[in-house]
Amino acid sequence: MKNAKIRLFVDQPLSEGQTVLLTKEQSHYLFSVMRLSTDGLVTLFNSQDGEFQAAVETAHKKSGTLKCTHKTRDIQMPPDLWLMFAPIKKTRTDFIVEKAAEMGARKILPIGTDYTNSERIRQDRLQAHALEAAEQCGGTFVPDVTDLQKLDNLLSTWDQERQIMFCDETLVGAAQTLQKASGEKWAILIGPEGGFSDRERAILHAMPYAHAVALGPRILRADTAAVAALTLWQQHLGDWP
Ligand code: SAH
C-alpha cells in the first residue's frame, strides 16, 4: 500500500473509520497547495490517539473530509521535560520553539527575566511553529507553548518534584554536569542574551531542586544553548538512549 507523505495535526479524535472534518486552512493546504484529490492519502495525528493513515473523501477549495483507514503508530509522548527560555529576536525565538518540538520537549515556556530582550511574544505564532515542527519531524505529539510569564512567578509556585537544569553561563568551563542527576520531571532553564542577573542566580542556586550546569568551555548564544541543553538532557535522562 502507498504511504502518505503529508502529515497533518488535527484537533479532533482519531480512530479507525473516523471521519475528519477539515478546516478552511487545511483544505486549502491539501487541495490547492498540495493538489491532493479524492482517495489521496494523508497521515494524521492529534497528540492523543496516535498516528493514522487517512484518505480524502471529499475535496473542495474551502472544506473537505478525510476518513481514517488504519492506525500506523501509537502515540509516543516525549519525556516530561519543559524548556523555559527568555525570548530573543523573532527568528531566533522561532528557532528555539521549532527545535524544542523536534528534540522532544513536552512544554515550552517563554519567560521574562531581569534582562529579557523582548517583552512580548506572539503565542499563537510560536504554537504554530511547534505544530509545524511536529508535523515535519514525524512526531505524534505537539508541545504546548505557554504565554510569556515572569520567571519569579513561575519559581514562586514551583512544583518541587520538578527539577531544574539551570544553564548558568558564569559556570562556563566548569565541570558542572548532569552526571549525578536522576528523576523524570524536569525543566531546562536558558537565560536571555544578557544572561541572568545576580539576583536570579542567587535564587536559583538556593533552590534544592535546581542543578546549575555548564554547557562547555564557551559562551553559547541562547538559541545554541537551548539545543545543546536539550541534547545533553535527552542523552542523560530522556528518550535517546
Ligand atoms: N551575555 C552573557 C551570555 C548569555 S548566553 C555573558 O556574556 O555572560 C544566553 C544563555 O545561554 C545563558 O543565560 C545560559 O542560560 C546559556 N548559556 C550559554 N553558554 C553557556 C555555558 N557555557 N554554560 C551554561 N549556560 C550557558
Side-chain angles (χ1 to χ4, degrees), residues 4 15 81 87 90-91 94 120 131 171 187 189 213 222-223:
S15 61
L81 173 67
K90 189 168 147 284
T91 50
D94 292 351
R120 288 176 48 209
L131 198 157
L171 296 176
L189 174 60
V213 169
D223 46 346

PDB file of all heavy atoms in Angstrom, residues 4 15 81 87 90-91 94 120 131 171 187 189 213 222-223:
ATOM      1  N   ALA A   4       1.305   7.619   2.959  1.00  0.00           N
ATOM      2  CA  ALA A   4       1.007   9.039   2.853  1.00  0.00           C
ATOM      3  C   ALA A   4       2.266   9.848   3.143  1.00  0.00           C
ATOM      4  O   ALA A   4       2.981   9.560   4.083  1.00  0.00           O
ATOM      5  CB  ALA A   4      -0.083   9.398   3.837  1.00  0.00           C
ATOM      6  N   SER A  15      -9.737   7.579  15.174  1.00  0.00           N
ATOM      7  CA  SER A  15      -9.855   6.133  15.343  1.00  0.00           C
ATOM      8  C   SER A  15     -10.155   5.555  13.972  1.00  0.00           C
ATOM      9  O   SER A  15     -10.482   6.297  13.042  1.00  0.00           O
ATOM     10  CB  SER A  15     -10.979   5.789  16.321  1.00  0.00           C
ATOM     11  OG  SER A  15     -12.213   6.266  15.810  1.00  0.00           O
ATOM     12  N   LEU A  81       9.630  16.839  30.038  1.00  0.00           N
ATOM     13  CA  LEU A  81      10.664  17.868  30.043  1.00  0.00           C
ATOM     14  C   LEU A  81      10.097  19.189  29.529  1.00  0.00           C
ATOM     15  O   LEU A  81       9.477  19.223  28.467  1.00  0.00           O
ATOM     16  CB  LEU A  81      11.820  17.425  29.128  1.00  0.00           C
ATOM     17  CG  LEU A  81      12.909  18.461  28.881  1.00  0.00           C
ATOM     18  CD1 LEU A  81      13.685  18.751  30.164  1.00  0.00           C
ATOM     19  CD2 LEU A  81      13.864  17.989  27.794  1.00  0.00           C
ATOM     20  N   PRO A  87      12.734  34.902  25.603  1.00  0.00           N
ATOM     21  CA  PRO A  87      12.658  35.175  24.167  1.00  0.00           C
ATOM     22  C   PRO A  87      13.721  36.176  23.715  1.00  0.00           C
ATOM     23  O   PRO A  87      14.039  37.123  24.437  1.00  0.00           O
ATOM     24  CB  PRO A  87      11.264  35.777  23.975  1.00  0.00           C
ATOM     25  CG  PRO A  87      10.551  35.611  25.234  1.00  0.00           C
ATOM     26  CD  PRO A  87      11.494  35.190  26.295  1.00  0.00           C
ATOM     27  N   LYS A  90      13.041  37.700  16.982  1.00  0.00           N
ATOM     28  CA  LYS A  90      11.936  36.895  16.469  1.00  0.00           C
ATOM     29  C   LYS A  90      12.382  35.569  15.818  1.00  0.00           C
ATOM     30  O   LYS A  90      11.925  34.501  16.207  1.00  0.00           O
ATOM     31  CB  LYS A  90      11.149  37.745  15.478  1.00  0.00           C
ATOM     32  CG  LYS A  90       9.866  37.154  15.026  1.00  0.00           C
ATOM     33  CD  LYS A  90       9.049  38.212  14.290  1.00  0.00           C
ATOM     34  CE  LYS A  90       8.220  37.647  13.183  1.00  0.00           C
ATOM     35  NZ  LYS A  90       8.934  37.287  11.969  1.00  0.00           N
ATOM     36  N   THR A  91      13.293  35.665  14.851  1.00  0.00           N
ATOM     37  CA  THR A  91      13.640  34.437  14.125  1.00  0.00           C
ATOM     38  C   THR A  91      14.367  33.449  15.033  1.00  0.00           C
ATOM     39  O   THR A  91      14.210  32.238  14.886  1.00  0.00           O
ATOM     40  CB  THR A  91      14.522  34.728  12.895  1.00  0.00           C
ATOM     41  OG1 THR A  91      15.602  35.546  13.318  1.00  0.00           O
ATOM     42  CG2 THR A  91      13.739  35.423  11.804  1.00  0.00           C
ATOM     43  N   ASP A  94      11.738  31.792  17.195  1.00  0.00           N
ATOM     44  CA  ASP A  94      11.062  30.773  16.379  1.00  0.00           C
ATOM     45  C   ASP A  94      11.915  29.506  16.318  1.00  0.00           C
ATOM     46  O   ASP A  94      11.415  28.386  16.434  1.00  0.00           O
ATOM     47  CB  ASP A  94      10.850  31.280  14.942  1.00  0.00           C
ATOM     48  CG  ASP A  94       9.842  32.413  14.872  1.00  0.00           C
ATOM     49  OD1 ASP A  94       9.188  32.686  15.888  1.00  0.00           O
ATOM     50  OD2 ASP A  94       9.715  33.021  13.787  1.00  0.00           O
ATOM     51  N   ARG A 120       7.306  41.041  24.672  1.00  0.00           N
ATOM     52  CA  ARG A 120       6.074  40.471  24.128  1.00  0.00           C
ATOM     53  C   ARG A 120       6.390  39.337  23.172  1.00  0.00           C
ATOM     54  O   ARG A 120       7.418  39.328  22.515  1.00  0.00           O
ATOM     55  CB  ARG A 120       5.292  41.551  23.388  1.00  0.00           C
ATOM     56  CG  ARG A 120       4.672  42.549  24.362  1.00  0.00           C
ATOM     57  CD  ARG A 120       3.986  43.679  23.639  1.00  0.00           C
ATOM     58  NE  ARG A 120       3.105  43.192  22.578  1.00  0.00           N
ATOM     59  CZ  ARG A 120       2.836  43.903  21.485  1.00  0.00           C
ATOM     60  NH1 ARG A 120       3.370  45.062  21.298  1.00  0.00           N
ATOM     61  NH2 ARG A 120       2.015  43.416  20.576  1.00  0.00           N
ATOM     62  N   LEU A 131       3.757  23.182  16.117  1.00  0.00           N
ATOM     63  CA  LEU A 131       2.893  22.242  15.402  1.00  0.00           C
ATOM     64  C   LEU A 131       3.535  21.816  14.068  1.00  0.00           C
ATOM     65  O   LEU A 131       3.620  20.627  13.749  1.00  0.00           O
ATOM     66  CB  LEU A 131       1.559  22.949  15.141  1.00  0.00           C
ATOM     67  CG  LEU A 131       0.346  22.122  14.796  1.00  0.00           C
ATOM     68  CD1 LEU A 131      -0.909  22.905  15.145  1.00  0.00           C
ATOM     69  CD2 LEU A 131       0.316  21.762  13.337  1.00  0.00           C
ATOM     70  N   LEU A 171      29.259  29.617  34.847  1.00  0.00           N
ATOM     71  CA  LEU A 171      29.986  28.374  35.147  1.00  0.00           C
ATOM     72  C   LEU A 171      30.754  27.879  33.919  1.00  0.00           C
ATOM     73  O   LEU A 171      31.285  26.777  33.929  1.00  0.00           O
ATOM     74  CB  LEU A 171      29.002  27.281  35.583  1.00  0.00           C
ATOM     75  CG  LEU A 171      28.245  27.554  36.877  1.00  0.00           C
ATOM     76  CD1 LEU A 171      27.243  26.443  37.136  1.00  0.00           C
ATOM     77  CD2 LEU A 171      29.222  27.678  38.042  1.00  0.00           C
ATOM     78  N   ALA A 187      12.818  20.579  34.035  1.00  0.00           N
ATOM     79  CA  ALA A 187      12.673  21.779  33.208  1.00  0.00           C
ATOM     80  C   ALA A 187      14.066  22.336  32.952  1.00  0.00           C
ATOM     81  O   ALA A 187      14.873  22.448  33.879  1.00  0.00           O
ATOM     82  CB  ALA A 187      11.819  22.820  33.923  1.00  0.00           C
ATOM     83  N   LEU A 189      16.353  25.529  31.936  1.00  0.00           N
ATOM     84  CA  LEU A 189      16.222  26.987  32.016  1.00  0.00           C
ATOM     85  C   LEU A 189      17.388  27.661  31.295  1.00  0.00           C
ATOM     86  O   LEU A 189      18.552  27.460  31.647  1.00  0.00           O
ATOM     87  CB  LEU A 189      16.183  27.427  33.491  1.00  0.00           C
ATOM     88  CG  LEU A 189      16.183  28.927  33.745  1.00  0.00           C
ATOM     89  CD1 LEU A 189      14.970  29.603  33.103  1.00  0.00           C
ATOM     90  CD2 LEU A 189      16.197  29.221  35.250  1.00  0.00           C
ATOM     91  N   VAL A 213      24.273  23.964  35.692  1.00  0.00           N
ATOM     92  CA  VAL A 213      25.006  23.166  34.708  1.00  0.00           C
ATOM     93  C   VAL A 213      25.785  24.094  33.784  1.00  0.00           C
ATOM     94  O   VAL A 213      25.311  25.171  33.427  1.00  0.00           O
ATOM     95  CB  VAL A 213      24.004  22.314  33.884  1.00  0.00           C
ATOM     96  CG1 VAL A 213      24.655  21.676  32.686  1.00  0.00           C
ATOM     97  CG2 VAL A 213      23.355  21.253  34.772  1.00  0.00           C
ATOM     98  N   ALA A 222      21.876  32.093  23.111  1.00  0.00           N
ATOM     99  CA  ALA A 222      20.750  31.449  23.788  1.00  0.00           C
ATOM    100  C   ALA A 222      20.114  30.344  22.921  1.00  0.00           C
ATOM    101  O   ALA A 222      19.731  29.287  23.445  1.00  0.00           O
ATOM    102  CB  ALA A 222      19.703  32.489  24.149  1.00  0.00           C
ATOM    103  N   ASP A 223      20.027  30.561  21.615  1.00  0.00           N
ATOM    104  CA  ASP A 223      19.400  29.531  20.760  1.00  0.00           C
ATOM    105  C   ASP A 223      20.277  28.284  20.670  1.00  0.00           C
ATOM    106  O   ASP A 223      19.781  27.157  20.694  1.00  0.00           O
ATOM    107  CB  ASP A 223      19.020  30.074  19.374  1.00  0.00           C
ATOM    108  CG  ASP A 223      20.099  30.900  18.719  1.00  0.00           C
ATOM    109  OD1 ASP A 223      21.058  31.293  19.408  1.00  0.00           O
ATOM    110  OD2 ASP A 223      19.998  31.142  17.505  1.00  0.00           O
TER     111      ASP A 223
END
